[in-house]
Amino acid sequence: MTSILYTVQPGNTLWGIAQYFGTTVEDILRYNNIQNPDMIYPGQQIRVPVGMGNIPKWYVVRPGDTLFSIAQRYGLDVNDLIDNNNLANPNVIYPGQLIMLRNM
């Protein structure tokens, strides 16, 4: 199974993260060797097991994001992101911009 790198945001729970990515809390716990599911914190990076069908279609750019970091987070190719979004300059993305992660 493929996994992505996810940064825990304020208010996230493992259950919510699992629901969003279409996986289970148990799988997230196992992938990250987390003993207590209630002990995650904002800024923590965790691996989330996903299948390609579970990767969201859209991503909202956050401050500090780059196409490379977005591609890495979702296990995608930067060139695919550039092509899917018709980006003339892949070095210029801005917070709030919608990026199409997968073409469907």
Side-chain angles (χ1 to χ4, degrees):
M1 183 176 283
T2 307
S3 68
I4 61 160
L5 190 60
Y6 178 76
T7 303
V8 176
Q9 302 299 306
N12 279 161
T13 63
L14 286 182
W15 184 85
I17 295 167
Q19 291 297 302
Y20 182 79
F21 287 104
T23 189
T24 66
V25 171
E26 292 76 22
D27 281 345
I28 295 173
L29 292 172
R30 187 166 31 88
Y31 265 67
N32 294 280
N33 198 26
I34 297 173
Q35 302 304 314
N36 183 346
D38 297 321
M39 297 298 293
I40 61 170
Y41 54 89
Q44 179 180 5
Q45 291 194 324
I46 59 174
R47 287 256 162 226
V48 180
V50 297
M52 279 305 281
N54 295 330
I55 292 175
K57 182 172 182 175
W58 296 97
Y59 177 79
V60 179
V61 176
R62 297 182 286 198
D65 279 340
T66 64
L67 281 184
F68 178 78
S69 68
I70 296 167
Q72 193 174 36
R73 181 177 300 135
Y74 290 100
L76 302 170
D77 183 88
V78 173
N79 291 320
D80 289 341
L81 291 180
I82 293 167
D83 292 344
N84 288 348
N85 293 279
N86 299 318
L87 298 174
N89 184 348
N91 296 313
V92 179
I93 60 172
Y94 54 88
Q97 180 178 358
L98 282 176
I99 300 290
M100 183 187 302
L101 299 180
R102 56 187 173 91
N103 211 352
M104 290 185 135

